[in-house]
Amino acid sequence: MLTDQEISDRLIEWYALHARILPWRNTKDPYLIWLSEIILQQTSVVQGIPYYERFVNRFPDIHSLANAEEDEVLKLWQGLGYYSRARNLHYSAQHIVEKLKGKFPNCYNKLIKLKGVGPYTAAAIASFAYNENVVVVDGNVKRFISRLFGIYDAIDLPATEKKIRSISQALINKQEPFIFNQALMEFGALQCMPKSPICIKCPFSKICIAFNEQMIPLTAQKSKTIIKKERFFYFALFIDKNNETFIQKRSAKDIWMGLYQLPLIERSQNISDFPMPSAFGVNNDQLVSKHLRSYKHLLTHQIIFAQFVCYETKTKALSSENPGLFKIPLNHIEHYALPRLIDLYLSDLSITLL
DNA sequence: AATTCGGGGCG
DNA sequence: CGCCCAGAATT
């Protein structure tokens, strides 16, 4: 067996040899660390990097972010998913500037009070920016520690996370929590991966309980299989003689909250005929339907069967009795934060429309 | 404790 | 197609 100290040392040793160079690793600025951590929640490093670069470029400090419009923040976030992260990021930036006099919270207990900051993110900022002695427990850590110590409980249960947190906190290097935490996560990400971890070259293979009990394939399992709800969306792209169109903002507590979309009608099941313009609150007898397309859009908890149509008139201007719709020039639509699905239809059409 | 919030990439 | 990703908020 190895002592806690030996495990920690070996981890940090491994990290010195294998650490990736990542854009947020060479800063101690709590704002930049916070930004990177919010982006990386449930997001792969590769997917997050370009978003981080764009955000730092546009919002180099907390004041620039606080001063921005939410619409612009969401536009920059477009495509990353889990849009409440962006709204909470913006909200907390304003909170820090206005209520905390621009002083970034400087310890775990203050950080976790911020909207959008939970146990993982608070620990990450506290240890990376302030070298506070709190362990980070993310998906990587849960997987690695559960294997190393032979914890075979479902990985998504709070009780399991509690166990893992307690074990991990005991391992932490109190002089360098920052390095230790980075090493812990990096090891999970690069060495102790979900599928086919590199046990053959693992510095812990001799003491890894799951490995020695040949339980690796059964580790880090979730408790339940996700049930996906089916939804049926009908979107209409209206285009009139002035090349203007209608969009609407999603405000309900639902997917894509805060984003914009083409006028939508949702049905509880598949319907054979596409809704007429009047069903959208648009009255225009000159509209001709074209560019009918359908997509199957997969989210974590939903399967969206989406159909699109383009209703076009070259002779009349659009008018609507639906207060939720507002008219914009068609070529301005890309200035709005759009769900990936809407963007997909528009890009599929852009060649046709030009 | 269970559910919901996206989207991309991988085997 | 199912799984996972530097999780958190809500119910």
Side-chain angles (χ1 to χ4, degrees):
Chain A
M1 272 311 282
L2 297 176
T3 64
D4 288 351
Q5 172 85 45
E6 286 167 336
I7 292 176
S8 173
D9 288 350
R10 200 172 286 193
L11 208 48
I12 291 173
E13 208 172 294
W14 174 92
Y15 181 70
L17 293 176
H18 298 94
R20 290 170 290 184
I21 296 173
L22 300 174
W24 44 83
R25 279 213 172 125
N26 46 22
T27 180
K28 285 285 178 186
D29 182 346
Y31 164 74
L32 294 179
I33 293 169
W34 171 54
L35 174 61
S36 71
E37 293 304 336
I38 301 296
I39 288 176
L40 291 170
Q41 288 172 7
Q42 293 297 283
T43 300
S44 70
V45 164
V46 179
Q47 193 190 1
I49 288 177
Y51 284 88
Y52 176 78
E53 304 282 15
R54 285 193 287 266
F55 266 84
V56 172
N57 222 341
R58 172 62 186 89
F59 305 123
D61 54 58
I62 194 158
H63 298 280
S64 53
L65 177 57
N67 287 334
E69 294 292 329
E70 183 183 287
D71 276 356
E72 188 187 357
V73 179
L74 283 171
K75 180 62 191 174
L76 217 51
W77 200 272
Q78 176 178 311
L80 248 197
Y82 289 155
Y83 296 94
S84 66
R85 291 183 292 168
R87 297 195 312 272
N88 287 336
L89 180 77
H90 185 231
Y91 175 93
S92 291
Q94 294 188 330
H95 176 79
I96 292 168
V97 166
E98 290 164 17
K99 300 290 198 306
L100 307 181
K101 301 173 185 172
K103 264 199 67 181
F104 209 95
N106 62 356
C107 66
Y108 179 91
N109 288 328
K110 292 179 189 170
L111 286 161
I112 203 167
K113 290 179 181 167
L114 295 173
K115 249 186 194 165
V117 174
Y120 163 75
T121 306
I125 303 172
S127 63
F128 300 164
Y130 309 116
N131 218 32
E132 190 174 332
N133 180 22
V134 279
V135 73
V136 289
V137 180
D138 71 340
N140 294 312
V141 176
K142 286 200 274 189
R143 187 173 55 253
F144 168 47
I145 296 298
S146 66
R147 285 171 175 167
L148 189 58
F149 290 87
I151 298 170
Y152 303 138
D153 310 297
I155 204 74
D156 56 342
L157 295 177
T160 311
E161 179 168 334
K162 205 173 161 186
K163 262 190 216 175
I164 293 172
R165 180 179 306 284
S166 152
I167 293 173
S168 312
Q169 184 67 45
L171 295 177
I172 200 170
N173 180 313
K174 291 175 184 139
Q175 281 70 49
E176 300 181 300
F178 164 64
I179 300 292
F180 174 84
N181 278 342
Q182 291 283 354
L184 189 58
M185 288 192 289
E186 195 79 335
F187 192 85
L190 300 184
Q191 178 83 28
C192 195
M193 305 97 79
K195 285 167 191 170
S196 35
I198 315 170
C199 301
I200 194 82
K201 281 172 42 181
C202 175
F204 299 104
S205 58
K206 280 190 178 164
I207 64 158
C208 178
I209 295 181
F211 176 67
N212 288 292
E213 294 181 351
Q214 301 182 359
M215 286 288 281
I216 293 286
L218 298 179
T219 52
Q221 306 262 15
K222 299 222 169 135
S223 54
K224 277 188 178 176
T225 54
I226 297 171
I227 297 169
K228 290 177 186 275
K229 184 186 171 189
E230 295 189 338
R231 300 177 73 174
F232 303 88
F233 286 1
Y234 298 85
F235 291 106
L237 170 63
F238 293 96
I239 304 177
D240 68 6
K241 66 168 184 176
N242 303 318
N243 259 315
E244 296 194 299
T245 191
F246 283 129
I247 60 173
Q248 59 188 179
K249 183 167 181 152
R250 292 184 67 90
S251 54
K253 278 194 174 176
D254 192 2
I255 53 169
W256 305 324
M257 186 163 89
L259 274 63
Y260 294 82
Q261 66 186 11
L262 300 176
L264 165 68
I265 289 176
E266 179 172 5
R267 296 280 188 241
S268 55
Q269 55 189 6
N270 199 19
I271 55 176
S272 51
D273 294 315
F274 200 95
M276 298 298 286
S278 57
F280 294 88
V282 176
N283 294 309
N284 189 316
D285 53 12
Q286 299 295 308
L287 290 167
V288 177
S289 69
K290 47 173 77 167
H291 309 313
L292 199 58
R293 290 178 195 237
S294 55
Y295 302 83
K296 185 174 166 183
H297 193 67
L298 302 173
L299 306 182
T300 303
H301 289 87
Q302 300 185 19
I303 303 175
I304 296 170
F305 297 94
Q307 290 194 39
F308 289 81
V309 76
C310 174
Y311 283 126
E312 188 175 21
T313 169
K314 306 240 186 230
T315 58
K316 275 182 147 180
L318 287 170
S319 68
S320 161
E321 58 194 33
N322 180 348
L325 302 184
F326 60 97
K327 201 193 280 187
I328 61 164
L330 179 58
N331 60 8
H332 283 190
I333 197 167
E334 289 293 341
H335 297 161
Y336 295 83
L338 308 169
R340 194 75 189 83
L341 174 61
I342 305 289
D343 214 36
L344 187 61
Y345 177 67
L346 293 174
S347 60
D348 279 356
L349 239 62
S350 61
I351 301 167
T352 321
L353 292 175
L354 287 178

